[in-house]
Amino acid sequence: MDPLNRQIQQRVKAARQERGWSLTVAADKTGVSKAMLGQIERGESSPTVATLWKLATGFGLSFSAFLLAGSPSPLADAAQMQVTTLFPYDPQLGFEVFAITLAPGFERRSEAHRPGVVEQVVPLDGSLEIFADGQWQAVPAGQGRRFEADRPHGYANRGLVPVTFHNIISYPHEKSRP
């Protein structure tokens, strides 16, 4: 088993056990089927980026909690979308940073993340289209776009060559309780 799948397998199982959730409860909370959760925990399946986001949202974890820092992710959809963790989630700062490369013609829609999550994207080497607030908008290389990611959103590479962008995901700070 490759290191990333081992990391995901261990993190999913630990998150479920820490919460005392059965596979059925975890499936209800994450929107990932009980069968798929079992396959991930046994290392029999490589999840897609979409599945990892469902897991992160359902468990209340950052996306980078499932990834290995500094190396491209060999996820099930890596031929179309490659995610590299540049800075894993830091709870004191409340954000994580990724370099994401989309294949030519690839479009990725994302479900809403947990409330208060904001994304900032900066294309590095080509134009990227962002779906936010119900519409697609082109973002040229070197410019940035910030949007609320607690609603459906997406990314598309309408060009003929791969496009890489930085994605900064900010999570709301937990309010301390008296």
Side-chain angles (χ1 to χ4, degrees):
M1 181 186 312
D2 69 72
L4 177 64
N5 278 336
R6 186 174 297 106
Q7 163 82 5
I8 293 169
Q9 171 193 19
Q10 292 170 349
R11 189 65 188 116
V12 169
K13 191 170 188 174
R16 188 174 62 79
Q17 290 175 342
E18 288 165 4
R19 289 157 181 77
W21 294 354
S22 65
L23 282 172
T24 301
V25 171
D28 289 341
K29 299 280 189 183
T30 64
V32 176
S33 74
K34 183 177 168 181
M36 177 59 75
L37 283 168
Q39 290 173 356
I40 292 169
E41 285 192 12
R42 291 188 302 274
E44 297 171 355
S45 178
S46 295
T48 63
V49 170
T51 299
L52 281 184
W53 265 116
K54 286 181 178 183
L55 292 170
T57 300
F59 284 121
L61 297 170
S62 68
F63 186 73
S64 63
F66 297 99
L67 302 178
L68 299 170
S71 59
S73 59
L75 300 168
D77 48 1
Q80 299 295 315
M81 179 177 184
Q82 192 171 75
V83 180
T84 302
T85 304
L86 299 178
F87 296 98
Y89 176 71
D90 182 321
Q92 290 191 331
L93 299 175
F95 74 89
E96 58 195 351
V97 181
F98 302 98
I100 300 175
T101 302
L102 302 181
F106 182 70
E107 178 180 308
R108 164 80 169 86
R109 295 279 187 127
S110 181
E111 296 178 16
H113 303 319
R114 63 184 175 193
V117 173
V118 173
E119 292 192 28
Q120 293 100 166
V121 297
V122 180
L124 303 175
D125 55 6
S127 183
L128 176 71
E129 287 193 25
I130 300 296
F131 181 78
D133 301 322
Q135 62 184 352
W136 286 99
Q137 177 181 358
V139 184
Q143 293 188 17
R145 172 87 158 90
R146 176 180 295 139
F147 58 92
E148 295 175 10
D150 56 2
R151 55 189 70 169
H153 55 283
Y155 319 95
N157 176 4
R158 309 280 187 222
L160 300 175
V161 296
V163 63
T164 299
F165 62 99
H166 283 166
N167 186 336
I168 301 116
I169 302 175
S170 302
Y171 296 88
H173 281 72
E174 299 288 327
K175 295 180 181 174
S176 57
R177 297 186 179 155

